[in-house]
Amino acid sequence: MTAIDFSQKTVEMINVVKKFGDFVANDGINLTVHKGEVHALLGENGAGKTTLVNCLYGLYHPTAGTIRINGRELNVTDPNVAIQNGIGMVHQHFMLVEPFTVTQNIILGRETTKLMGILDLSAAEKKVAEISERYGLAINPRDKIEDISVGSQQRVEILKALYRGAEILILDEPTAVLTPPEIQELVMIIRNLTQEGKSIIIITHKLHEIKQVADYCTIIRRGKYIDTVEVDTVTEQELASMMVGREVSFAVEKKPQKRGPKILTIDNLVVEDNRGIQALKGLSLELHKGEILGVAGVDGNGQSELIEALTGLRTVRSGKILLHNKEITGALPKQIIDGYNIRTIPEDRQKRGLVLEFDVAENLVLETYHKKPFSWRGVLNHPEIYQYADDSAKEFDIRPANPYLTAKSLSGGNQQKVIIAREVGNDPEVLIASQPTRGLDVGAIEYVHAALVEQRDRGKAVLLVSFELDEVINVSDRIAVIFEGKIVGTMAAEGVDENEIGLMMAGGTS
Amino acid sequence: MEAIINDIGFIIGTTLMYSTPLMFTSLGGVITERSGVVNIGLEGMMFFGAFVAATVAYYTQNPWLGFLCAGLGGAFLGLLHAIACVSFAAEQIVSGIAINFLGPGLALFLSRLFFDGATQTLTIPNKIPLPLHFLFGEGKLFKSAGFMDLVFNRFATVYLAFLLVLLVWFVLYKTKVGMRVQAVGEHPEAADTLGISVYRIRYGAVIMSGFFAGLGGASMSIAVVSRFSNTLISGHGFIALAAMIFGKWKPQGAMLACLLFGGAKGFEIFLGAKGVPVSSSLLAMLPYILTIIVLVGIVGKTTPPAAIGKIFDKSGK
Amino acid sequence: MTLDAAALKKKFLSGSIGLTLISIFLGFALGAIVLLAAGFNPLEAYWVILKGIFSRPKYVSYVIIYATPLIITGLSVAFALRTGLFNIGAEGQYIVGAIVAAAAGYFFKLPLILHVIVAVGLAIIAAALWGGLAGYIKARFGVHEVISTIMLNWIALYLSNFVVTLQAFGKQGTGKTYAIQSTARINLLSDWKISEAGIEFIRSHKMLGDVLKSPINVGFIFAILLAVLVWYVLNKTTLGYELRAVGFNPHAAEAGGINVKRSMVVSMLFAGGLAGAAGAFQVLGVSHRIAKLAAMEGYGFDGIAVSLIGNNTGAGSVFAGLLFGALKYGGSKIQDAMQAPTEVISIMIGIIILFVAMPNLIRLILTIKANRASN
């Protein structure tokens, strides 16, 4: 079944170092990949995986170290060099020009032209269709990117690399945006590619995917090379402890639940997205005190719009939101925060959560600056604000504990702590947490999960929205699956069948 | 009857004349903004171009040489803008404001040196020619001051401006370079990963926009009038900028918007020439009011290039 | 100890004030090169400018008079910028303020101080609405304020030129309005200066007399007070907190319950009011009337430069305004003294702004210098 040709080393990265100023992102990393091999790069967020492959692809220039492609030493000065040497890359955030067609995107930088640089699109379309067919990618070359699904966009990215004759394909977190069935399709495509003799480097932090698809795995921790292992010889547990550097328990510690009465009711909610297309198509949910309700689903099924509707940032077209059986639909953000005490940990902490240029103290009072004791008659009381910030930094373990530092200067985990201190510190009735652990390392993830569980144990209601199915299952008491703007099923989290949820997330019925 | 037709011809003719400088500059705006760089320095570039054109045309007696040098003068300021915005990640609007001090500053500084302390040039001996006169002789093709003559017997710059609209449209939508410019303006990181130099494309586009703005200034100082003065350009660069947005960042749209603004000017001049007792100030205000009203109506339905005004900085990552 | 000094120096140079001072230095240096290239002795030119600023008390008071409107329009631009809005419209708001002040100053018959308050107050209100309109259009329709304020500038200019032609307001054909009533003027001792005692005083007291020869007025004091007000509102009040939050990150501000759209309008109302005050003080204190404008006077555009050079703060605007006023006034003297074009000042200002816009470049230069020094 395996197609590895051990006689041919396609990629060798030896002792690669990459520094950004004083920060060492890669500190002597080794990576060897053979023809027909799927090689996983495993590491936590910020461990330096993407930096390493960016060096391979010529987007960064390594500070030290050697790169050999097919046995030949190569100075990858820019992506053109990488492309010429058969390296292709599919980025985590797709590198596609939205208003362009599939063909335009694929040929960009390698345009087929007639005389004097005039584009020959029809010739290009033919060639794109050909390659698409050969690898079973099912792409229409004339579709515009903005009109096709995320899964198709990813296949366009793969096609883009193949069009350039890629023999070595780098996939950066390819499954993050896919539904479970789409992931299975991707696995099939990867198998097809290795059968054709391509080498694949796949970046991920999902252990079961490595077990499923990769032959070898290189582990990186805080920029340092840890080990390269044959995947079949290790367990997921062993991979995890190599990645984190200590024993990791996947289970979240929880006391038995004391479920209280219903507090928040969402009834038949209809909301449109920015383009005016219905994102929520009659979504209904009930949230009780003393529970964590997890909303599972793939990105783009209406989660963002749900959060925005609940927090007053998005207009509700029809349907109702009730708090304690009192309708609060259409309330302004300020009312929801102050009046109803519904607080939110937003999905994008740097965009919605923090004013990065403000200092920690100013961020901590973002929702309370207009109240006593932080201000009086429109004049701020700075001593009170900084005193409060000092106390919060201690209570929530924000490091460094200096309220005068700008939020920008904190690490991702500590930025999230500032947000949690602000939202939880105000003792909310309902806490909404959207993707609260995105981009955090394991220690910070544990901290966030503990904070959510603590709210639940104090009898408060928590609504958790996450694209990580594991997180939803581990943290929640109940799980609601969202698909295309509707809840397609609700179940208790304990003893839940992961495959069943996976199917529901993709719109299948169980 | 003939008088009315001639009047219409007069209005169309002046419209074409006054639209031309705007069209050149506005096309420059289209090019730079489609590559993702905002350029409110168009005004300063146009100002400088107008001065260079008149000065070179005065000393060499060759208007075409003046025209070309005006483009180069504008391109020089474009280069400064590009260095600031593309290489050194400057706030694009701030850099544009600097250009709007530098362009007029340089123009008037040099004007005082070359023209004995005056902030205007002397009258140039030869304006940009009327190609129909050149080809067919004066009054041969159309009856002098008749409708056809008023509309079609225009400076060469007028014809050039329309040709340039066609050219920019073609390059932007039908060629490799144009596709790259658009890609860089929409998603520079994507272009970068495909080995396209974002810096090079943006440098090219910004310098080109300066060149076009310089031509726009020239078509004011050595075609519409025959000298440069310190109040000649006042605001035309900004109007060209508005026309570009009005025209939804498309060359053909910008052209139509420029014709609209030029038409307002043409109408104003016509009424003035006829002695109609309407305040010229109120008439002059109209295009600006119209722009605001139209923008209020259309914005939201138009999408500027996605990466516009955003700094692309590889080293920072 | 020396190490501390070096560290301190490094910190200062890489801070915003240090970067601004380096930009100003580079502006002067490149200005000198331009003068040199044009065949003038830059040292002589700068000496003439320096003498033109400081050699007589009258000159200094003229500098202050020149600087007053620039400081205030600078404050206007700075205020809006702190909310993330680029107020290119200070020019038009200034014009609107000037129109209303001139009208109120001429048409109303009111007692001394009240007349000034009414004229300035109305000018501020009108200009605030003019600026607020751009804020409203942005908040409601999403039209970028740079575009709408550019349009509003020209509308204001032509409005001014139209008003000047009105029969009731000015003598036909003169292209200017009647002068405002003496009760609306904010000049110091203007009546006394032309009285016999005044003339005698000016003749006999060299220093003070010289100062009094300029149209000194209380506008500068107001400019300082407005700078303090801007600093206080932005840094000490909940309103300022909201506006700054919106300026830095409107998305987070909105999620935190701050009304972003309202903040945009409020910010532009403030900015407009400030620019209008600049126009009003200029009319009440210096020009006493408005006249037909062939082109923009540039007080608003210069205000953008002042704000940018002053790092968008109250105190910064005062210093940058004085610098700009001094250069404008002192720079005008090199024309007569040595036939060197005064526009070298515009070039210098342009260069300074260009460098202010490129902190990356200055940091690069500093690093290269530091590396060379250490090698």
Side-chain angles (χ1 to χ4, degrees), chain A residues 419-442:
Chain A
I419 294 175
I420 289 173
R422 182 176 74 212
E423 304 301 329
V424 173
N426 283 307
D427 196 24
E429 282 293 308
V430 176
L431 180 66
I432 299 170
S434 180
Q435 293 274 78
T437 59
R438 189 166 77 169
L440 300 185
D441 63 26
V442 171

mmCIF file of all heavy atoms in Angstrom, chain A residues 419-442:
data_model
loop_
_atom_site.group_PDB
_atom_site.id
_atom_site.type_symbol
_atom_site.label_atom_id
_atom_site.label_comp_id
_atom_site.label_asym_id
_atom_site.label_seq_id
_atom_site.Cartn_x
_atom_site.Cartn_y
_atom_site.Cartn_z
ATOM 1 N N ILE A 419 -9.206 39.049 28.096
ATOM 2 C CA ILE A 419 -10.606 39.008 27.673
ATOM 3 C C ILE A 419 -11.437 38.228 28.689
ATOM 4 O O ILE A 419 -12.528 38.664 29.093
ATOM 5 C CB ILE A 419 -10.730 38.385 26.267
ATOM 6 C CG1 ILE A 419 -10.053 39.304 25.248
ATOM 7 C CG2 ILE A 419 -12.185 38.166 25.903
ATOM 8 C CD1 ILE A 419 -10.002 38.730 23.852
ATOM 9 N N ILE A 420 -10.900 37.092 29.137
ATOM 10 C CA ILE A 420 -11.646 36.289 30.105
ATOM 11 C C ILE A 420 -11.821 37.062 31.405
ATOM 12 O O ILE A 420 -12.903 37.077 32.005
ATOM 13 C CB ILE A 420 -10.926 34.938 30.329
ATOM 14 C CG1 ILE A 420 -11.084 34.080 29.076
ATOM 15 C CG2 ILE A 420 -11.500 34.208 31.539
ATOM 16 C CD1 ILE A 420 -10.293 32.806 29.089
ATOM 17 N N ALA A 421 -10.761 37.759 31.827
ATOM 18 C CA ALA A 421 -10.866 38.557 33.048
ATOM 19 C C ALA A 421 -11.974 39.594 32.911
ATOM 20 O O ALA A 421 -12.748 39.832 33.835
ATOM 21 C CB ALA A 421 -9.531 39.250 33.327
ATOM 22 N N ARG A 422 -12.063 40.198 31.737
ATOM 23 C CA ARG A 422 -13.078 41.224 31.525
ATOM 24 C C ARG A 422 -14.480 40.621 31.506
ATOM 25 O O ARG A 422 -15.404 41.132 32.128
ATOM 26 C CB ARG A 422 -12.807 41.947 30.205
ATOM 27 C CG ARG A 422 -13.771 43.074 29.916
ATOM 28 C CD ARG A 422 -13.378 43.799 28.657
ATOM 29 N NE ARG A 422 -13.692 42.988 27.476
ATOM 30 C CZ ARG A 422 -12.966 43.017 26.362
ATOM 31 N NH1 ARG A 422 -11.882 43.760 26.273
ATOM 32 N NH2 ARG A 422 -13.322 42.286 25.335
ATOM 33 N N GLU A 423 -14.621 39.518 30.789
ATOM 34 C CA GLU A 423 -15.960 38.960 30.586
ATOM 35 C C GLU A 423 -16.436 38.182 31.814
ATOM 36 O O GLU A 423 -17.569 38.310 32.238
ATOM 37 C CB GLU A 423 -15.973 38.068 29.343
ATOM 38 C CG GLU A 423 -15.508 38.787 28.072
ATOM 39 C CD GLU A 423 -16.347 39.998 27.724
ATOM 40 O OE1 GLU A 423 -17.556 40.008 28.037
ATOM 41 O OE2 GLU A 423 -15.807 40.967 27.152
ATOM 42 N N VAL A 424 -15.549 37.340 32.349
ATOM 43 C CA VAL A 424 -15.930 36.533 33.504
ATOM 44 C C VAL A 424 -15.909 37.376 34.773
ATOM 45 O O VAL A 424 -16.736 37.203 35.666
ATOM 46 C CB VAL A 424 -14.975 35.316 33.636
ATOM 47 C CG1 VAL A 424 -15.247 34.558 34.919
ATOM 48 C CG2 VAL A 424 -15.129 34.401 32.432
ATOM 49 N N GLY A 425 -14.969 38.303 34.833
ATOM 50 C CA GLY A 425 -14.846 39.157 36.016
ATOM 51 C C GLY A 425 -16.093 39.965 36.293
ATOM 52 O O GLY A 425 -16.303 40.445 37.406
ATOM 53 N N ASN A 426 -16.932 40.137 35.291
ATOM 54 C CA ASN A 426 -18.163 40.885 35.497
ATOM 55 C C ASN A 426 -19.329 39.974 35.873
ATOM 56 O O ASN A 426 -20.478 40.379 35.818
ATOM 57 C CB ASN A 426 -18.501 41.690 34.243
ATOM 58 C CG ASN A 426 -17.631 42.924 34.145
ATOM 59 O OD1 ASN A 426 -17.565 43.709 35.078
ATOM 60 N ND2 ASN A 426 -16.933 43.079 33.038
ATOM 61 N N ASP A 427 -19.032 38.731 36.244
ATOM 62 C CA ASP A 427 -20.014 37.782 36.743
ATOM 63 C C ASP A 427 -21.255 37.674 35.858
ATOM 64 O O ASP A 427 -22.352 38.052 36.243
ATOM 65 C CB ASP A 427 -20.424 38.190 38.171
ATOM 66 C CG ASP A 427 -21.118 37.024 38.863
ATOM 67 O OD1 ASP A 427 -20.872 35.870 38.472
ATOM 68 O OD2 ASP A 427 -21.924 37.277 39.775
ATOM 69 N N PRO A 428 -21.065 37.151 34.637
ATOM 70 C CA PRO A 428 -22.178 37.150 33.685
ATOM 71 C C PRO A 428 -23.254 36.109 34.006
ATOM 72 O O PRO A 428 -22.963 35.086 34.621
ATOM 73 C CB PRO A 428 -21.488 36.803 32.379
ATOM 74 C CG PRO A 428 -20.300 36.005 32.778
ATOM 75 C CD PRO A 428 -19.851 36.538 34.101
ATOM 76 N N GLU A 429 -24.464 36.388 33.566
ATOM 77 C CA GLU A 429 -25.551 35.406 33.619
ATOM 78 C C GLU A 429 -25.313 34.324 32.575
ATOM 79 O O GLU A 429 -25.439 33.140 32.842
ATOM 80 C CB GLU A 429 -26.885 36.098 33.307
ATOM 81 C CG GLU A 429 -27.469 36.896 34.443
ATOM 82 C CD GLU A 429 -27.907 35.996 35.588
ATOM 83 O OE1 GLU A 429 -28.654 35.029 35.337
ATOM 84 O OE2 GLU A 429 -27.469 36.256 36.718
ATOM 85 N N VAL A 430 -25.002 34.801 31.369
ATOM 86 C CA VAL A 430 -24.739 33.894 30.261
ATOM 87 C C VAL A 430 -23.370 34.247 29.702
ATOM 88 O O VAL A 430 -23.077 35.416 29.480
ATOM 89 C CB VAL A 430 -25.801 34.043 29.146
ATOM 90 C CG1 VAL A 430 -25.451 33.159 27.956
ATOM 91 C CG2 VAL A 430 -27.183 33.729 29.664
ATOM 92 N N LEU A 431 -22.518 33.247 29.518
ATOM 93 C CA LEU A 431 -21.220 33.481 28.903
ATOM 94 C C LEU A 431 -21.204 32.794 27.536
ATOM 95 O O LEU A 431 -21.457 31.595 27.436
ATOM 96 C CB LEU A 431 -20.098 32.918 29.779
ATOM 97 C CG LEU A 431 -18.681 33.110 29.230
ATOM 98 C CD1 LEU A 431 -18.298 34.576 29.175
ATOM 99 C CD2 LEU A 431 -17.663 32.335 30.060
ATOM 100 N N ILE A 432 -20.921 33.590 26.509
ATOM 101 C CA ILE A 432 -20.814 33.027 25.168
ATOM 102 C C ILE A 432 -19.329 32.953 24.840
ATOM 103 O O ILE A 432 -18.622 33.953 24.962
ATOM 104 C CB ILE A 432 -21.539 33.911 24.144
ATOM 105 C CG1 ILE A 432 -23.026 34.010 24.488
ATOM 106 C CG2 ILE A 432 -21.349 33.360 22.736
ATOM 107 C CD1 ILE A 432 -23.771 35.054 23.684
ATOM 108 N N ALA A 433 -18.874 31.777 24.477
ATOM 109 C CA ALA A 433 -17.459 31.635 24.137
ATOM 110 C C ALA A 433 -17.363 31.098 22.721
ATOM 111 O O ALA A 433 -17.826 30.006 22.427
ATOM 112 C CB ALA A 433 -16.767 30.688 25.104
ATOM 113 N N SER A 434 -16.758 31.903 21.834
ATOM 114 C CA SER A 434 -16.666 31.498 20.443
ATOM 115 C C SER A 434 -15.214 31.212 20.107
ATOM 116 O O SER A 434 -14.370 32.094 20.214
ATOM 117 C CB SER A 434 -17.219 32.611 19.566
ATOM 118 O OG SER A 434 -17.135 32.238 18.225
ATOM 119 N N GLN A 435 -14.914 29.978 19.746
ATOM 120 C CA GLN A 435 -13.539 29.598 19.405
ATOM 121 C C GLN A 435 -12.549 30.087 20.461
ATOM 122 O O GLN A 435 -11.535 30.696 20.110
ATOM 123 C CB GLN A 435 -13.159 30.255 18.075
ATOM 124 C CG GLN A 435 -13.912 29.739 16.890
ATOM 125 C CD GLN A 435 -13.254 28.516 16.330
ATOM 126 O OE1 GLN A 435 -13.398 27.421 16.878
ATOM 127 N NE2 GLN A 435 -12.519 28.680 15.276
ATOM 128 N N PRO A 436 -12.832 29.831 21.743
ATOM 129 C CA PRO A 436 -12.026 30.504 22.775
ATOM 130 C C PRO A 436 -10.587 30.019 22.847
ATOM 131 O O PRO A 436 -9.767 30.663 23.475
ATOM 132 C CB PRO A 436 -12.762 30.160 24.068
ATOM 133 C CG PRO A 436 -13.468 28.893 23.780
ATOM 134 C CD PRO A 436 -13.838 28.933 22.325
ATOM 135 N N THR A 437 -10.264 28.903 22.208
ATOM 136 C CA THR A 437 -8.895 28.399 22.319
ATOM 137 C C THR A 437 -8.139 28.467 21.006
ATOM 138 O O THR A 437 -7.056 27.911 20.877
ATOM 139 C CB THR A 437 -8.902 26.931 22.793
ATOM 140 O OG1 THR A 437 -9.654 26.157 21.855
ATOM 141 C CG2 THR A 437 -9.527 26.795 24.158
ATOM 142 N N ARG A 438 -8.705 29.171 20.038
ATOM 143 C CA ARG A 438 -8.059 29.206 18.729
ATOM 144 C C ARG A 438 -6.646 29.786 18.834
ATOM 145 O O ARG A 438 -6.441 30.861 19.394
ATOM 146 C CB ARG A 438 -8.871 30.038 17.754
ATOM 147 C CG ARG A 438 -8.365 29.924 16.331
ATOM 148 C CD ARG A 438 -9.326 30.449 15.339
ATOM 149 N NE ARG A 438 -9.313 31.913 15.309
ATOM 150 C CZ ARG A 438 -9.911 32.619 14.370
ATOM 151 N NH1 ARG A 438 -10.586 32.011 13.429
ATOM 152 N NH2 ARG A 438 -9.877 33.926 14.397
ATOM 153 N N GLY A 439 -5.697 29.062 18.303
ATOM 154 C CA GLY A 439 -4.331 29.546 18.244
ATOM 155 C C GLY A 439 -3.585 29.539 19.569
ATOM 156 O O GLY A 439 -2.511 30.114 19.671
ATOM 157 N N LEU A 440 -4.144 28.922 20.604
ATOM 158 C CA LEU A 440 -3.469 28.914 21.905
ATOM 159 C C LEU A 440 -2.680 27.617 22.087
ATOM 160 O O LEU A 440 -2.981 26.596 21.477
ATOM 161 C CB LEU A 440 -4.499 29.035 23.026
ATOM 162 C CG LEU A 440 -5.368 30.295 23.009
ATOM 163 C CD1 LEU A 440 -6.251 30.327 24.239
ATOM 164 C CD2 LEU A 440 -4.520 31.551 22.940
ATOM 165 N N ASP A 441 -1.654 27.674 22.971
ATOM 166 C CA ASP A 441 -0.925 26.446 23.254
ATOM 167 C C ASP A 441 -1.669 25.656 24.334
ATOM 168 O O ASP A 441 -2.655 26.121 24.910
ATOM 169 C CB ASP A 441 0.527 26.722 23.623
ATOM 170 C CG ASP A 441 0.650 27.545 24.886
ATOM 171 O OD1 ASP A 441 -0.272 27.493 25.724
ATOM 172 O OD2 ASP A 441 1.670 28.241 25.034
ATOM 173 N N VAL A 442 -1.168 24.444 24.589
ATOM 174 C CA VAL A 442 -1.932 23.515 25.420
ATOM 175 C C VAL A 442 -2.214 24.066 26.817
ATOM 176 O O VAL A 442 -3.322 23.957 27.340
ATOM 177 C CB VAL A 442 -1.205 22.160 25.493
ATOM 178 C CG1 VAL A 442 -1.864 21.256 26.518
ATOM 179 C CG2 VAL A 442 -1.208 21.496 24.138
#
